[in-house]
Amino acid sequence: MKLLPIFSVLVMLIYSASSCTNKAKPVKKVVPEETMLEVYEEIKTPFKYGVVFQHPDTTKLIDSPTIFRDDGNWHMTYIVFDGQGYETWLAESSDLLHWESRGKILSFTKDTWDANQKAGYVSLVNYDWGGDYGVEKHNGRYWMTYLGGNTTGYEAGVLKIGLANTTNLTEVQLWNTKNTPILSPEDDGIRWFENKTIYKSLVIKDTLAHTGHDYVMYYNAKGEEDFESIGMAVSNDMLSWKRYGADPVITRKKGICGDAQIAKIDDLYVMFYFGAFWKPGAFERFACSYDLINWTDWTGPDLVAPSESYDEKYAHKPWVVKWKGTVYHFYNAVGDQGRVLALATSKELKND
């Protein structure tokens, strides 16, 4: 009888310890306003440097830079529209300010599902803010998702996501595109906001396993209501993808939200993206997340907006890096110089 109270106390202690051990740390789903303001102050780029890149054939339209670093140099993939459709090219720079086009890496083909559209975006770029911006391999190869389709014209027809790969990241050669689409608006189980067409995609590594998968893809897509939102998919092998969640992660339910790029600042993820037509023009925005899944949208000023003759129509489609203390915000500018790539920075560089 004397052992009963002792036994009871032990049970209570064990139960209490177990409860403390198993208690899950609550997930922060909303980023506080003061944290959003701190991020804005870190990433803002009030100084417009100007146009930094045009395609050698200036009659062609260019778009959607993806910028990374390899062997001590900066490299950029960008897409070119020539009237038939999109192809993907490679450019190089030593200083992020002066770029030289090197050649084509995704091209038109015959009688394929992606014959006339191949707009590519390099996958698995290091997204640590101020990091090395290198590109990681998967299964010994480099990877690129691309907007693909067989209809001629500007983003014409039903667009899907394809997957290309190569063993040499910066050599000017055509990447392997012998595949079927990895995501399509014609898939079974398609979601309401993506059942018409799919546009630009970004693939990153989920290094902390927030989603329970190795890789995360963000992509903008259009449904029957004709607005673009940013959705999410996940994969463990880069080849097979499944959609994540029932709804977009970013949407205004009008106009466009698209072209996501991710940076990680300490324990916070920052999504750069562009908005268009839910207010006049096209402009650069951002959102923040603790888990890559739940995003808090910034409600303050645009990161970049039209203000100069070269971006007076659109200032959109971001790629942002921090390098040696300076933030470089590349964007697609549409104005009196056509469709070109422009740069805004956190410091005044014109007189350097």
Side-chain angles (χ1 to χ4, degrees), residues 39-340:
V39 171
Y40 174 73
E41 292 297 325
E42 169 65 21
I43 66 177
K44 68 181 182 181
T45 51
F47 302 100
K48 287 192 173 180
Y49 183 84
V51 175
V52 292
F53 185 66
Q54 292 179 292
H55 191 60
D57 182 347
T58 57
T59 64
K60 296 182 179 180
L61 308 180
I62 65 172
D63 221 332
S64 300
T66 301
I67 293 169
F68 55 93
R69 192 166 173 81
D70 185 76
D71 284 340
N73 267 345
W74 294 96
H75 304 268
M76 170 174 63
T77 59
Y78 66 99
I79 61 178
V80 176
F81 178 75
D82 69 349
Q84 178 177 340
Y86 280 131
E87 295 179 295
T88 305
W89 288 63
L90 183 69
E92 186 173 359
S93 173
S94 61
D95 61 4
L96 289 168
L97 301 178
H98 305 90
W99 292 87
E100 181 180 354
S101 181
R102 295 192 53 221
K104 190 185 304 183
I105 57 175
L106 293 183
S107 186
F108 301 130
T109 47
K110 290 185 178 180
D111 302 322
T112 60
W113 72 269
D114 53 0
N116 295 301
Q117 308 284 347
K118 289 192 183 70
Y121 322 102
V122 174
S123 301
L124 306 183
V125 179
N126 181 335
Y127 53 83
D128 288 333
W129 188 240
D132 64 14
Y133 298 102
V135 180
E136 186 172 330
K137 290 181 178 179
H138 170 78
N139 282 351
R141 304 184 75 85
Y142 297 103
W143 299 83
M144 175 191 296
T145 54
Y146 63 93
L147 171 160
N150 58 20
T151 304
T152 59
Y154 183 74
E155 297 182 353
V158 176
L159 300 173
K160 307 170 184 181
I161 296 179
L163 187 66
N165 63 77
T166 187
T167 56
N168 193 316
L169 182 63
T170 57
E171 185 173 332
V172 179
Q173 60 183 12
L174 294 181
W175 289 40
N176 171 32
T177 58
K178 294 179 180 178
N179 61 72
T180 55
I182 56 174
L183 286 178
S184 165
E186 299 168 344
D187 292 337
D188 293 337
I190 198 70
R191 294 173 291 187
W192 60 273
F193 63 88
E194 58 178 350
N195 57 12
K196 190 170 183 179
T197 197
I198 297 178
Y199 296 99
K200 183 182 176 180
S201 50
L202 170 82
V203 173
I204 64 169
K205 190 169 185 178
D206 184 358
T207 54
L208 297 180
H210 294 294
T211 63
H213 297 271
D214 291 335
Y215 303 117
V216 175
M217 182 195 297
Y218 298 100
Y219 59 96
N220 37 309
K222 183 189 293 184
E224 294 300 331
E225 296 181 45
D226 267 356
F227 57 80
E228 286 183 45
S229 306
I230 299 174
M232 185 174 170
V234 291
S235 175
N236 289 323
D237 62 4
M238 291 292 288
L239 303 176
S240 56
W241 290 84
K242 63 180 181 179
R243 289 160 169 87
Y244 194 99
D247 297 310
V249 295
I250 299 287
T251 188
R252 293 286 177 139
K253 294 191 175 180
K254 60 180 178 179
I256 299 174
C257 296
D259 290 39
Q261 181 216 345
I262 303 296
K264 190 171 188 289
I265 304 177
D266 298 326
D267 67 340
L268 197 66
Y269 299 93
V270 179
M271 177 190 290
F272 298 97
Y273 72 95
F274 85 91
F277 315 134
W278 39 268
K279 64 179 186 177
F283 36 84
E284 304 282 63
R285 305 292 300 174
F286 77 96
C288 292
S289 172
Y290 292 110
D291 62 2
L292 294 173
I293 301 165
N294 302 285
W295 293 89
T296 301
D297 217 354
W298 169 244
T299 58
D302 296 329
L303 290 176
V304 178
S307 66
E308 307 295 331
S309 60
Y310 58 81
D311 66 6
E312 61 187 351
K313 187 173 183 181
Y314 301 141
H316 65 336
K317 303 190 175 183
W319 196 273
V320 187
V321 300
K322 184 177 185 180
W323 186 250
K324 295 184 177 179
T326 300
V327 181
Y328 297 78
H329 187 137
F330 296 87
Y331 64 99
N332 183 239
V334 181
D336 64 2
Q337 296 189 46
R339 199 175 189 97
V340 295

